[in-house]
Amino acid sequence: MATEIDMPSPHRGEGQGEGQGVKEYRWRMPANWWTRTRHYFLYVAREFTAVPMALWLIWLLYEIKLAGNGPAGYYPPRSAAFVAFSAVVLLFALYHSYTFLKLAGVIIRVKVLDRSIPPRVIVMAMFGAWAAGSVVVGFVLIWFAR
Amino acid sequence: MADKRVTIQATRYDPDRDSAPRMQSYDIPFYDESMVVLDALNYIKNHVDGSLSFRWSCRMGICGSCGMMVNGTPKLTCNAFVRDYWPRAIHVGPLNNFPLIRDLVIDMDDFMHKLKSIKPWVIRKQELPLGAGEHRQTNQQIDEFRQFSECINCMLCYAACPVYGLNNEFLGPAAIALARRYNLDSRDQGLKERLPVIGDAEGVWECSFVGECSVVCPKGVDPAKAIQQTKLDTTMRFVLPYGNRD
């Protein structure tokens, strides 16, 4: 007579567990893990660009608050340090936007007539929309600044 | 060719004797241009040092057992040719981010639990009787999930993922890719059963899109794509009217 035994299966996450009752060595990520490969470094650089951008936006909000009191007592920052910081933030913003939009082709799936749009077309559309949006924003800013 | 030699530096760890892993060097013949790192390890095991422990099975990139760090990169050792590294020494270590049991053998329990948690099988609300015939699919329906079904559970993506290395509560690339494989399957109706796991803070939202999982994947599964698409889909389900319907 056969006896059916419910065998523990690792595929069900059951069983004795390879590590149970055994002394294991547990690794820790070294603090410099992001210097191991170029890919990790570029990832951290991409994420880091958000920090100066956030600081610049906080500054912008502060300036908007000051400007809210009226033009009479408002003096926009014109120091060389602020201009240099803004230029760096602009470069960071461009790099961050570039990496973000470049990945859009991986993420977005669009189907037209049951056919998937190639990722390259989606990326080009994203960069096109970015360029068009920048032109519109630039036009509005220049228009109001006249 | 017979005179050529290669140095294999293998990680050794004996839990009964060692407090931390150490390195051991083996100088062995590089006997064949088609020799892979797994062949080198087997040569060591059979001719030099029988105590070296490592996992392997199929030798042809199918089973996913022989994943190890080769010169710091997660690789299937059956698919890593010695000629690509020679004459430099080749360092072979256990997969990163997993507890080490012995030498090159890691503890994969955590991965197995995560795999089970996403219910990687076709879930039906109500099974059809056998007489109703098979669930037919068009080529287009199969193409929706085919890429994500190529995963061989080799765990290279976990070894490459710094997010998993820093927080092993993260569900991880392979499990999420497999969840997407079933969620995209036209026969499956289990999305709502998987959502609490994949939509959790330790699910897709823990991923910050490093993308290294897709770089090291030996089968071209692209787990990073699966994760980002799942983020978009779950967001759309939340935002769009009727988005949460089946």
Side-chain angles (χ1 to χ4, degrees):
Chain A
M1 191 178 93
T3 308
E4 196 170 292
I5 302 171
D6 186 22
M7 292 293 287
S9 162
H11 298 290
R12 300 199 300 260
E14 298 167 356
Q16 293 176 346
E18 289 162 317
Q20 289 176 24
V22 176
K23 189 183 123 194
E24 294 180 333
Y25 183 80
R26 293 192 173 265
W27 299 92
R28 281 206 181 151
M29 287 278 280
N32 64 344
W33 64 267
W34 52 278
T35 60
R36 279 181 184 168
T37 70
R38 183 174 167 273
H39 201 125
Y40 287 165
F41 179 81
L42 290 176
Y43 156 74
V44 169
R46 183 189 82 198
E47 298 300 299
F48 173 76
T49 53
V51 177
M53 282 158 57
L55 291 174
W56 193 88
L57 286 170
I58 290 169
W59 191 331
L60 179 67
L61 289 173
Y62 176 68
E63 291 295 332
I64 290 172
K65 184 175 178 295
L66 291 181
N69 297 330
Y74 178 68
Y75 302 99
R78 286 175 179 166
S79 69
F82 179 77
V83 173
F85 178 59
S86 298
V88 170
V89 169
L90 175 64
L91 288 176
F92 281 0
L94 289 172
Y95 177 69
H96 200 96
S97 305
Y98 169 75
T99 55
F100 183 82
L101 296 176
K102 202 172 64 148
L103 296 170
V106 175
I107 302 165
I108 299 172
R109 298 185 312 145
V110 182
K111 280 192 165 184
V112 177
L113 299 174
D114 262 0
R115 289 200 161 193
S116 294
I117 302 287
R120 181 185 283 191
V121 175
I122 293 173
V123 171
M124 285 169 64
M126 285 290 160
F127 277 104
W130 183 39
S134 299
V135 167
V136 170
V137 170
F139 179 78
V140 169
L141 288 176
I142 292 168
W143 181 265
F144 278 104
R146 285 194 313 161
Chain B
M1 187 72 209
D3 296 335
K4 278 167 79 172
R5 301 189 72 80
V6 62
T7 302
I8 303 291
Q9 296 172 332
T11 299
R12 303 301 308 269
Y13 174 67
D14 180 346
D16 295 328
R17 291 193 310 184
D18 300 324
S19 59
R22 58 195 164 82
M23 202 77 75
Q24 189 161 351
S25 252
Y26 302 94
D27 186 49
I28 61 165
F30 178 13
Y31 53 81
D32 187 344
E33 277 295 318
S34 64
M35 186 179 178
V36 291
V37 173
L38 180 61
D39 293 332
L41 294 175
N42 274 322
Y43 184 92
I44 295 168
K45 178 96 177 165
N46 295 334
H47 299 97
V48 184
D49 184 350
S51 69
L52 182 66
S53 301
F54 53 95
R55 284 196 183 97
W56 67 284
S57 184
C58 76
R59 259 176 24 126
M60 56 179 79
I62 301 294
C63 72
S65 304
C66 67
M68 295 171 215
M69 303 300 291
V70 180
N71 281 3
T73 304
K75 294 256 186 198
L76 291 181
T77 50
C78 68
N79 201 24
F81 288 91
V82 172
R83 63 172 184 253
D84 293 338
Y85 302 93
W86 191 85
R88 289 172 296 142
I90 303 173
H91 173 237
V92 186
L95 285 180
N96 280 352
N97 304 335
F98 289 97
L100 182 57
I101 295 176
R102 177 183 289 271
D103 295 343
L104 301 165
V105 181
I106 50 108
D107 180 356
M108 57 171 79
D109 274 4
D110 183 53
F111 174 66
M112 289 300 180
H113 283 290
K114 282 170 176 156
L115 211 54
K116 179 191 173 193
S117 72
I118 55 100
K119 303 188 178 180
W121 52 82
V122 171
I123 298 172
R124 300 285 302 176
K125 285 177 183 163
Q126 191 171 3
E127 285 294 342
L128 296 175
L130 283 176
E134 66 271 33
H135 294 285
R136 294 195 149 214
Q137 289 184 302
T138 64
N139 285 336
Q140 285 169 334
Q141 286 172 327
I142 293 170
D143 285 344
E144 286 283 309
F145 67 83
R146 188 194 296 272
Q147 180 182 20
F148 303 130
S149 70
E150 303 285 334
C151 177
I152 56 173
N153 300 331
C154 62
M155 298 176 286
L156 300 194
C157 51
Y158 283 75
C161 176
V163 178
Y164 180 70
L166 293 164
N167 172 20
N168 61 19
E169 295 295 315
F170 175 40
L171 186 55
I176 296 172
L178 203 55
R180 183 142 187 87
R181 174 254 175 273
Y182 284 96
N183 289 338
L184 289 175
D185 193 323
S186 59
R187 299 166 298 180
D188 185 84
Q189 298 171 323
L191 174 63
K192 281 196 170 175
E193 290 188 38
R194 296 188 191 99
L195 266 181
V197 180
I198 58 175
D200 187 65
E202 309 292 358
V204 291
W205 299 107
E206 182 69 9
C207 170
S208 51
F209 208 168
V210 181
E212 193 68 2
C213 53
S214 298
V215 173
V216 301
C217 179
K219 308 305 275 187
V221 172
D222 204 346
K225 174 174 156 183
I227 296 172
Q228 309 321 313
Q229 287 185 351
T230 304
K231 281 181 185 173
L232 187 63
D233 282 0
T234 49
T235 305
M236 287 304 173
R237 283 178 66 83
F238 180 72
V239 171
L240 292 180
Y242 308 110
N244 210 31
R245 68 186 171 191
D246 290 334

